[in-house]
Amino acid sequence: MSNSISLTRYLVEQQRTKGRITPELRLLLEVVARACKRISISVNKGALGDILGSADSENVQGEVQKKLDVIANEVLIEANEWGGHLAAMASEEMDTIYVVPNRFPQGEYLLMFDPLDGSSNIDVNVSIGTIFSVLKKQNDRTDAIEPVSEQDFLQPGNQQVAAGYCVYGPQTTLVLTVGDGVAMFTLDREQGSWMLTADQVRIPEDTKEFAINMSNMRHWDAPVRRYIDECLAGKEGPRGKDFNMRWIASMVADVHRIMTRGGVFMYPWDKREPDKPGKLRLMYEANPMGWLVEQAGGAATNGRQRILDVEPTKLHQRVSVILGSRNEVERVTQYHLEAD
Ligand code: AHG
Ligand code: MN
Ligand code: MN
Ligand code: MN
């Protein structure tokens, strides 16, 4: 396709023509995209590449790490530490932040990532992904000893300057926003380049498809139970239409379906661990996905407020997630507010 636009050209236009991003942020996003390409090569090897199965280690979340969790984390660290655009990184797979070593130039951006999302699907050959979020280091620290700390990362999602995910599925697709809508780039493996295959993506405001782990039903709060019961009642019920259900257990794959054809995704609070607001992590799952969904005309709340307005207090804090087609998210949120 002669008018095919590569990721590089898209980012140069965002920098030069639209003035939305700096050269350093453009470079950072190119590096992250290259790291995702490398991760996709490992993913595609499967059993041929000794990347399946458990790494026999546990992460800060208390999850047993898969080999690919660790591999993907290392790829992202190594790709990003020496480029000069980052001050530090944070990952689902690391207890504390990773400050760019003094031997490398430090930048002004902070990168957070879930290096491998949907780990329970790695060994069964179902789509998985990488999620990332970029913030700017806000306060210029004076103390030279600690140039950057976890505190710098604790910014609400509305401060993100870039967010995206890469889904390793039948196609390898990078989905990105820098605040100018959502663009999708499909990896052309013959050339090794990311090619623009969708721009200004829009999520339909209505849907007949919900995504939730139904096995947790008995643990849900009343508003979630009310919403799902109404969906299950179909056209004879109060919604007057039949619904379909999908649950891939890879947030990246479920969100990509919603970005492509609409739907509502929910991982709500449940009473098994009442002090935990939910399973998903705010900084590197809910915030990047929340911004992408909003940039595509959808909505993302924790049941009571916009996810991007949640003020973080801990790096790995969890949050209840309801995101996707705007009218459905607003309905579920309304049910929560009515119940309060
Ligand atoms: P991760 O593999 O990065 O730990 O994330 C898994 C998350 C998310 O991708 C998915 O939506 C959810 O866990 C699935 O949870 P259940 O296995 O409880 O359905
Ligand atoms: Mn995990
Ligand atoms: Mn995840
Ligand atoms: Mn993960």
Side-chain angles (χ1 to χ4, degrees), residues 59 63 69 92-93 114-119 129 281 284-285:
N59 64 14
E63 299 166 336
D69 284 328
E92 176 199 345
E93 306 303 338
D114 174 359
L116 207 291
D117 174 66
S119 306
R281 284 59 56 120
Y284 40 80
E285 288 175 317

Side-chain angles (χ1 to χ4, degrees), residues 63 92 114 116-120 213 247 249-251 265 267 279-281 285:
E63 299 166 336
E92 176 199 345
D114 174 359
L116 207 291
D117 174 66
S119 306
S120 65
N213 183 335
W247 187 250
S250 289
M251 184 185 198
F265 171 95
Y267 212 112
K279 170 177 185 179
L280 301 177
R281 284 59 56 120
E285 288 175 317

Side-chain angles (χ1 to χ4, degrees), residues 41-52 122:
I41 291 165
S42 294
V43 169
N44 291 159
K45 284 189 180 143
L48 299 175
D50 186 27
I51 55 107
L52 302 182
I122 294 170

Side-chain angles (χ1 to χ4, degrees), residues 4-16:
S4 53
I5 295 177
S6 68
L7 172 66
T8 301
R9 181 173 155 192
Y10 175 89
L11 292 174
V12 166
E13 283 175 5
Q14 289 294 339
Q15 175 198 329
R16 295 236 174 90

Side-chain angles (χ1 to χ4, degrees), residues 41 54 91 108-109 142 168 184 201 261 269 271 299 312 316 330:
I41 291 165
S54 155
S91 163
E108 58 177 341
Y109 292 104
T142 47
Y168 311 115
M184 296 186 174
V201 170
R261 69 181 190 216
W269 170 93
K271 57 175 183 275
H316 296 290
E330 287 175 356

Side-chain angles (χ1 to χ4, degrees), residues 99-149:
V99 179
V100 169
N102 286 333
R103 65 179 182 281
F104 295 130
Q106 276 218 350
E108 58 177 341
Y109 292 104
L110 303 169
L111 177 67
M112 294 159 288
F113 46 83
D114 174 359
L116 207 291
D117 174 66
S119 306
S120 65
N121 283 324
I122 294 170
D123 296 350
V124 295
N125 199 11
V126 169
S127 298
I128 48 184
T130 296
I131 309 171
F132 60 92
S133 168
V134 184
L135 292 167
K136 277 188 79 165
K137 201 157 73 79
Q138 294 294 339
N139 48 343
D140 294 327
R141 285 178 172 278
T142 47
D143 51 341
I145 305 155
E146 202 187 56
V148 58
S149 79

